[in-house]
Amino acid sequence: MDVERAAAAPPTENASPAEQIQIEDRLQDSAKDGSDLRRDVLEGLTAEFKGLPPKYFYDELGSELFEQITELPEYYPTRVERSILAEQAEAIVAAADPQCLIELGSGSASKTRVLLSAMHEAGSLHTYVPVDISEEITRATAHELISEYPELRVHGVLCDFENDLERLPAWGQRRMFAFLGGTIGNFDRPKRIAFLSRIASLLGPMDTLLLGTDLVKDPERLEAAYNDSAGVTSRFNKNVLSVLNRELDADFDLDAFEHLAFYDDENERIDIRLLSLADQLVHVRALGLEVPFAEGEEMRTELSCKFTRQSIERSYAESGLELVELWTDPEQQFALSLARGA
Ligand code: AVJ
């Protein structure tokens, strides 16, 4: 039986774990065999202003370092988003009325539970679709969740949601896409509009998008969140160089670069870079590439865009979406917003 039809098969009552959990591997070969990485790194390191895509931060160590970041006193977004979810899950579920939750970049789904629980309370919990590249985490999470919610079907999809969004199977229920954590901030404006437009084209009339966005605030507080005193963010940032050393047989000296993160007021975003501390030549052997870095040269490793209610509404409007409702915390540090097709 092909996967599309298996995915569309109606669930049965009293399913066994094997029937309740289905994990589909939709990861493209170019992601598995490293050709995406080689293409992105070649492009990024040969550009006049060098840059690397943030998705390559997240190898095993990088994911662990990001977990540590979320627990830092200076890094408020994860905690605040979780508190908004805890306060507002019922209201979110009432506004969206979903039967199926599709989470882009689900990871360990720690924030998702609150939503699933509200769907369960509302009597509408049907399917959870975690979309992630890690099979291990997705499987482990699926098993935990079905023991907590006996009525739940978990249909995991292993893929890079940025590349494979249109390849997600279609489900015939009221769906809420969730893109949490403020990860939308990694896209610059053109990429953000392109990505949200793609989501808009997937939304049926009953479907919604729940989006987490960090908000514009005092630059000092913003900059502190990306320049923690324990130096975890610096290690996280430099870890992308270790990924290249390992995956592409490169010879980056991590001590020859310095972590930089500053708030760009005009573009309303944190700009994260690695500063070369010396004139140096880096070899990326898997690409047959020699990359010169000048002393003081900066390479961009991540953007983290910050929003206002107005800029969220504008992003939606430019993407064929419409704001339904927006929830924030008492200090207005972070926002969760619900959108539907315009
Ligand atoms: C996972 C993209 C939301 O932008 O705050 C944290 C990543 N980088 N510290 C963010 C990050 C440095 C984080 N996102």
Side-chain angles (χ1 to χ4, degrees):
M1 185 164 48
D2 71 50
V3 279
E4 296 283 356
R5 263 187 296 134
T12 52
E13 293 305 313
N14 305 318
S16 70
E19 291 167 324
Q20 263 180 285
I21 297 176
Q22 188 186 352
I23 310 277
E24 217 176 301
D25 186 349
R26 296 223 158 196
L27 202 59
Q28 291 180 14
D29 290 339
S30 60
K32 287 182 186 163
D33 67 16
S35 47
D36 284 353
L37 173 71
R38 287 196 298 277
R39 181 206 53 214
D40 291 344
V41 171
L42 180 65
E43 190 188 309
L45 293 186
T46 55
E48 198 184 335
F49 173 36
K50 298 183 180 75
L52 294 168
K55 69 176 171 185
Y56 300 117
F57 281 134
Y58 301 92
D59 66 345
E60 206 178 317
L61 176 61
S63 302
E64 164 61 28
L65 287 169
F66 181 68
E67 281 304 310
Q68 288 181 30
I69 287 175
T70 65
E71 285 156 23
L72 292 168
E74 298 97 332
Y75 193 79
Y76 59 86
T78 312
R79 269 190 304 276
V80 176
E81 183 181 46
R82 189 171 286 132
S83 77
I84 301 170
L85 275 171
E87 277 303 306
Q88 307 292 355
E90 233 187 273
I92 293 166
V93 165
D97 192 24
Q99 298 168 304
C100 172
L101 175 64
I102 304 172
E103 185 174 19
L104 305 177
S106 43
S108 64
S110 63
K111 287 174 274 191
T112 321
R113 278 183 169 72
V114 191
L115 287 170
L116 293 176
S117 173
M119 288 164 72
H120 171 82
E121 293 298 317
S124 58
L125 178 61
H126 198 286
T127 314
Y128 174 52
V129 180
V131 181
D132 203 274
I133 49 167
S134 166
E135 168 152 20
E136 248 177 271
I137 297 177
T138 305
R139 270 195 198 285
T141 308
H143 279 276
E144 280 175 33
L145 289 175
I146 62 159
S147 69
E148 289 167 43
Y149 306 102
E151 77 271 42
L152 183 66
R153 304 297 183 281
V154 180
H155 184 147
V157 184
L158 306 175
C159 72
D160 176 343
F161 58 79
E162 204 186 329
N163 295 331
D164 303 306
L165 199 56
E166 286 75 17
R167 288 154 45 90
L168 293 177
W171 306 268
Q173 310 161 13
R174 294 194 302 271
R175 307 176 298 172
M176 178 165 75
F177 287 77
F179 191 26
L180 304 176
T183 304
I184 188 79
N186 275 167
F187 296 128
D188 63 12
R189 189 183 159 277
K191 289 209 181 98
R192 173 168 71 244
I193 302 306
F195 186 71
L196 290 176
S197 300
R198 288 167 67 197
I199 293 183
S201 71
L202 296 176
L203 296 186
M206 307 295 277
D207 298 339
T208 51
L209 167 68
L210 182 68
L211 185 69
T213 42
D214 196 13
L215 297 177
V216 169
K217 59 181 65 63
D218 169 20
E220 261 178 56
R221 185 150 169 80
L222 281 170
E223 289 185 344
Y226 296 86
N227 292 283
D228 62 287
S229 55
V232 184
T233 309
S234 168
R235 277 194 281 147
F236 174 75
N237 191 9
K238 291 185 184 189
N239 181 57
V240 74
L241 303 180
S242 301
V243 171
L244 270 44
N245 285 350
R246 185 183 64 240
E247 300 296 327
L248 299 177
D249 198 14
D251 60 359
F252 281 99
D253 173 3
L254 273 61
D255 294 328
F257 290 86
E258 189 176 282
H259 165 72
L260 272 188
F262 60 91
Y263 186 58
D264 170 352
D265 190 52
E266 193 183 326
N267 293 298
E268 301 187 323
R269 64 195 190 190
I270 291 280
D271 197 327
I272 303 177
R273 301 181 178 188
L274 286 168
L275 167 80
S276 175
L277 295 172
D279 285 322
Q280 49 183 326
L281 194 61
V282 174
H283 305 87
V284 187
R285 291 183 204 94
L287 297 175
L289 198 65
E290 287 192 339
V291 189
F293 283 87
E295 184 179 343
E297 181 177 346
E298 296 175 11
M299 168 168 72
R300 177 177 286 147
T301 50
E302 187 172 30
L303 288 175
S304 188
C305 295
K306 308 303 170 190
F307 296 84
T308 59
R309 189 191 174 95
Q310 290 70 29
S311 69
I312 293 167
E313 278 185 296
R314 205 181 321 125
S315 290
Y316 283 151
E318 289 169 358
S319 311
L321 293 166
E322 181 175 85
L323 179 70
V324 176
E325 207 168 333
L326 182 143
W327 298 271
T328 183
D329 54 294
E331 289 176 79
Q332 313 221 1
Q333 301 210 73
F334 196 94
L336 283 171
S337 59
L338 190 74
R340 64 172 167 236

